[in-house]
Amino acid sequence: MCGIIGYIGRGQAAPVMLDGLKRLEYRGYDSSGMAVVGESGISVCKTEGKISRLDEKTDGGKTLVGFCGIGHTRWATHGAPSDINSHPHLSCDGRFAVVHNGIIENHAELRAMLETHGYAFKSETDSEVAAQLLQYLFDGDVKSTIRALIERIKGSYAFGIIFSGAPDRLYAVRKDNPLVIGLGNGENYIASDVAAALAHTHEFVILGDGEIAEITADETHYYSTDGKQIDKEPYTVDWDITRAEKGGYPHFMLKEIYDQPKALTDTVRPRIHEDEIDLDGITFSREYLDGLSGVDIVGCGSAYHAGIVGKQFIEKHCRIRVDCTLASEYIYKNPITGKDRLTVIISQSGETADSLAALRLAKKLGSRTLAVVNVVQSAIAREADDVLYTRAGPEIAVATTKGYTTQVAALYLIGLKFAITRGTITKKRYSALLSALSDLPDKVEEQLKETPVANAHTYAEAFSNQHCVFFIGRGADYAASLEGALKLKEISYVHAEAYAAGELKHGTISLVEKGTLTIAIATQSELYDKTESNVRSVSSRGGTVLAIASRENSKVRAFADGLLTIPDCDDDMSPVLTAVVLQLFAYYVAFKRGCDIDKPRNLAKSVTVE
Ligand code: G6P
């Protein structure tokens, strides 16, 4: 979704912002722009398309001269992607420039009011309303004008604002949309995402809802909604900038697939002490767990799929009923929750609007909330009662890989902790699973060794012309197939559907014809024979089958046209290994089809609108 970077300092703002915008590209965008303020006023350059066009148009930022500026990547919501609709937007008098993330819900009403006062709008966006409103409300003091602005606006926003009368000042305000202030030495930043400023600083301040920041090159001042000056504590982001760079890989996605052994190690191992799991000090007493009528897992996209793996694992070992619901459905279904239910919100970014809304609703209804989040200090992490961080490091490719597998690993930790606390698992099985979980990073490492990778590549080449692919599996394999199908469709634009293998015969098999590809996941020993018979029914109708099975149990090979193996592991851990194979498969199919792998069309990394 949209991204914001702003700079104020002693250097030229535009080249710094261009670099920041490039680092925000991963969020998904269709146009970009920058505005700088200097002694002669505000100059703007914006363009539809890639940031490279903005780079060209401004000669690497050189044509926009000034030490203070705001930049934006836009992901169109109100109005088509175009030069005019790109941000920053200028007020009619050219004195205010604004970049905006979020949605101004009452924009039509505000626009109509401003038009009756003679304001001529240039764009179709909701955001331009903010620039015109600043001019309309201006009372000689920018801070109080911003306060008046946010009183009039309904919806969610993160604004970066510059004013021609104050070229030494950058302003920011936010509500329900992420925005951080990056603290440098003689220079400061605003950013929708720490990744945009991480090359310059590791010290950040999070603006609270309705708080206003007034930033100069050397100082930052914060004000509450009622105008009082407030102190804000900075926090340190320990992510290394190189973890947000490609490091020699052709795509972030491939790099992040290869990051997984480390990401899983960091997520799992420091939390296992011999036979004990420490969920960063979060406690769930036996009395509390026994008193639960159930657990709700809520997330979007891959986070939801991780939730399905978690649901199966927790129900199996803890004997607690778990519902897994899409956040966008949870918030409108009038959920039955309260003190007797634990709500687990899963989100890599910690900023997904639907997941955040679900968290707030669950809290309001009295449920305890536990966030499983990757981005430290993100909104979901801050607002949940407890947070267990996945330690995947920065994830840049739109299609999540290490974000997903670390979420699954975190849910395994939670499930095992619950099971041993409730006494629903034998000590022996608990220890075996704990050791399997601890070994998982090594298994993924093994998985990523040459042969399986080469195989995934070969099969992807062979099947890259498919128009439609089915993924089937049972139990944990079904959960894994959901994520496999999503990964393929997200980045390669091949239609892909996941089915519980047993459901195939209830309709979908009518679509299987000669050459139709079905990816059959068969890693669950207890369900192996059942899945095998589903595979046979596909191949006997002329369908092509690519099977995924463990090395030790790969007799499905006899009925399949191809086989991808995963290292031998405890069946409960296989969804992580299967995910890695399917990530590689999707990656190579997309590669072969010439797709924009890290930034698939129409998709955004962090979806901050409902
Ligand atoms: C977007 C991303 C997905 C991600 C989903 C949820 O759709 O493209 O990869 O799974 O959002 O994001 P979250 O940050 O909440 O995990």
Side-chain angles (χ1 to χ4, degrees):
M1 297 243 121
C2 307
I4 290 176
I5 176 77
Y7 170 86
I8 183 157
R10 293 185 173 82
Q12 286 298 317
V16 178
M17 294 195 295
L18 263 180
D19 175 67
L21 290 176
K22 286 176 191 158
R23 294 180 189 276
L24 286 171
E25 277 191 295
Y26 77 97
R27 292 172 70 100
Y29 73 105
D30 40 51
S31 53
S32 63
M34 296 187 286
V36 297
V37 55
E39 291 309 326
S40 52
I42 294 177
S43 22
V44 183
C45 182
K46 44 195 204 170
T47 179
E48 190 197 338
K50 296 284 174 200
I51 288 167
S52 52
R53 284 172 71 178
L54 186 68
D55 197 330
E56 272 164 35
K57 265 182 136 173
T58 61
D59 190 13
K62 289 194 206 83
T63 60
L64 288 179
V65 181
F67 303 116
C68 172
I70 46 179
H72 191 262
T73 48
R74 172 173 188 254
W75 191 81
T77 54
H78 295 63
S82 69
D83 291 1
I84 293 286
N85 287 336
S86 318
H87 301 213
H89 293 289
L90 275 179
S91 56
C92 284
D93 63 5
R95 299 184 77 198
F96 285 97
V98 167
V99 287
H100 168 228
N101 285 1
I103 290 181
I104 300 176
E105 285 162 10
N106 57 339
H107 69 99
E109 178 190 310
L110 291 169
R111 187 182 186 115
M113 181 278 286
L114 288 161
E115 279 171 346
T116 61
H117 285 86
Y119 284 75
F121 280 73
K122 293 194 184 66
S123 77
E124 304 156 273
T125 64
D126 57 328
S127 309
E128 191 186 347
V129 159
Q132 309 302 6
L133 208 50
L134 281 167
Q135 177 185 336
Y136 175 76
L137 297 168
F138 188 49
D139 61 6
D141 177 79
V142 179
K143 291 195 299 287
S144 77
T145 308
I146 294 175
R147 274 206 307 283
L149 169 80
I150 63 176
E151 264 172 36
R152 298 278 189 118
I153 279 178
K154 289 196 190 116
S156 63
Y157 50 80
F159 287 119
I161 298 166
I162 51 175
F163 173 57
S164 64
D168 60 343
R169 249 141 252 261
L170 176 61
Y171 296 90
V173 63
R174 64 167 283 275
K175 180 176 157 276
D176 295 340
N177 234 279
L179 195 80
V180 291
I181 317 298
L183 308 177
N185 200 354
E187 51 192 22
N188 290 307
Y189 306 82
I190 60 170
S192 50
D193 183 325
V194 294
L198 209 51
H200 309 282
T201 180
H202 286 252
E203 295 291 300
F204 292 91
V205 167
I206 292 176
L207 268 191
D209 274 359
E211 290 173 358
I212 296 169
E214 183 182 36
I215 306 160
T216 66
D218 298 303
E219 287 175 7
T220 52
H221 297 288
Y222 306 101
Y223 300 87
S224 61
T225 329
D226 56 10
K228 290 207 185 80
Q229 190 158 351
I230 48 172
D231 290 333
K232 306 270 311 170
E233 274 301 305
Y235 72 101
T236 306
V237 174
D238 61 4
W239 285 354
D240 177 354
I241 184 68
T242 58
R243 292 187 76 189
E245 288 171 349
K246 281 188 201 153
Y249 286 90
H251 296 96
F252 278 111
M253 181 174 176
L254 193 60
K255 184 211 170 221
E256 287 160 5
I257 290 173
Y258 278 85
D259 270 353
Q260 287 176 111
K262 173 161 173 44
L264 287 162
T265 301
D266 294 348
T267 301
V268 163
R269 291 198 183 144
R271 290 169 171 144
I272 300 178
H273 308 285
E274 297 187 350
D275 246 9
E276 286 282 312
I277 295 172
D278 176 7
L279 298 177
D280 300 350
I282 309 168
T283 52
F284 295 96
S285 67
R286 173 152 193 181
E287 194 188 14
Y288 171 76
L289 292 173
D290 286 350
L292 287 179
S293 69
V295 173
D296 290 296
I297 301 184
V298 184
C300 301
S302 299
Y304 167 72
H305 293 157
I308 293 181
V309 178
K311 166 190 158 73
Q312 295 183 348
F313 187 82
I314 296 170
E315 287 193 334
K316 178 173 175 184
H317 297 292
C318 313
R319 310 310 300 155
I320 299 178
R321 195 177 293 278
V322 181
D323 287 332
C324 186
T325 313
L326 291 162
S328 54
E329 292 294 311
Y330 182 90
I331 48 187
Y332 300 111
K333 75 169 189 170
N334 193 4
I336 304 170
T337 190
K339 262 197 164 60
D340 63 331
R341 290 186 83 86
L342 171 71
T343 309
V344 182
I345 307 282
I346 306 179
S347 175
Q348 186 284 129
S349 63
E351 303 287 354
T352 302
D354 288 324
S355 306
L356 182 59
L359 164 77
R360 289 178 176 165
L361 179 60
K363 275 185 90 168
K364 193 169 143 211
L365 295 171
S367 168
R368 178 174 172 185
T369 53
L370 167 64
V372 175
V373 163
N374 190 40
V375 178
V376 173
Q377 288 291 331
S378 51
I380 293 173
R382 291 198 310 273
E383 292 191 27
D385 296 314
D386 296 296
V387 54
L388 186 71
Y389 284 112
T390 52
R391 295 177 182 149
E395 192 179 62
I396 307 295
V398 164
T400 180
T401 51
K402 60 178 180 172
Y404 167 81
T405 48
T406 51
Q407 286 163 352
V408 173
L411 289 166
Y412 287 157
L413 282 171
I414 293 167
L416 284 172
K417 182 75 175 175
F418 286 6
I420 197 70
T421 308
R422 291 196 78 214
T424 47
I425 192 168
T426 62
K427 193 81 187 51
K428 192 168 161 221
R429 183 75 185 117
Y430 169 80
S431 299
L433 278 169
L434 209 53
S435 121
L437 182 53
S438 199
D439 288 348
L440 200 50
D442 297 339
K443 296 276 178 188
V444 171
E445 183 95 62
E446 195 183 328
Q447 175 89 64
L448 289 169
K449 292 263 161 66
E450 240 165 80
T451 320
V453 173
N455 285 350
H457 195 174
T458 310
Y459 288 125
E461 290 240 328
F463 297 127
S464 61
N465 288 330
Q466 293 284 329
H467 298 294
C468 173
V469 178
F470 296 115
F471 287 72
I472 59 168
R474 289 167 182 263
D477 288 336
Y478 170 56
S481 70
L482 289 166
E483 177 59 9
L486 178 62
K487 212 81 308 172
L488 185 65
K489 74 181 115 178
E490 271 182 312
I491 60 167
S492 72
Y493 318 141
V494 173
H495 177 71
E497 290 271 6
Y499 282 94
E503 272 294 293
L504 208 58
K505 57 187 175 296
H506 295 293
T508 315
I509 201 152
S510 65
L511 295 173
V512 171
E513 51 188 17
K514 195 164 172 4
T516 306
L517 177 63
T518 297
I519 297 188
I521 308 173
T523 70
Q524 301 295 299
S525 341
E526 278 179 17
L527 302 166
Y528 197 89
D529 294 339
K530 299 277 177 212
T531 306
E532 189 182 286
S533 65
N534 298 126
V535 168
R536 282 170 183 251
S537 55
V538 171
S539 40
S540 63
R541 282 162 182 83
T544 304
V545 176
L546 174 60
I548 297 181
S550 67
R551 282 181 209 142
E552 69 178 353
N553 200 359
S554 54
K555 60 186 169 57
V556 68
R557 180 198 304 261
F559 316 101
D561 301 274
L563 176 74
L564 283 165
T565 55
I566 59 168
D568 299 338
C569 68
D570 191 292
D571 284 4
D572 283 338
M573 299 292 133
S574 74
V576 168
L577 296 165
T578 306
V580 176
V581 182
L582 293 177
Q583 291 162 0
L584 285 166
F585 179 78
Y587 174 84
Y588 287 118
V589 169
F591 188 79
K592 179 77 182 153
R593 291 165 67 90
C595 301
D596 188 354
I597 295 180
D598 284 338
K599 297 179 288 284
R601 68 181 177 214
N602 304 337
L603 293 181
K605 177 81 184 151
S606 178
V607 183
T608 48
V609 293
E610 280 183 19

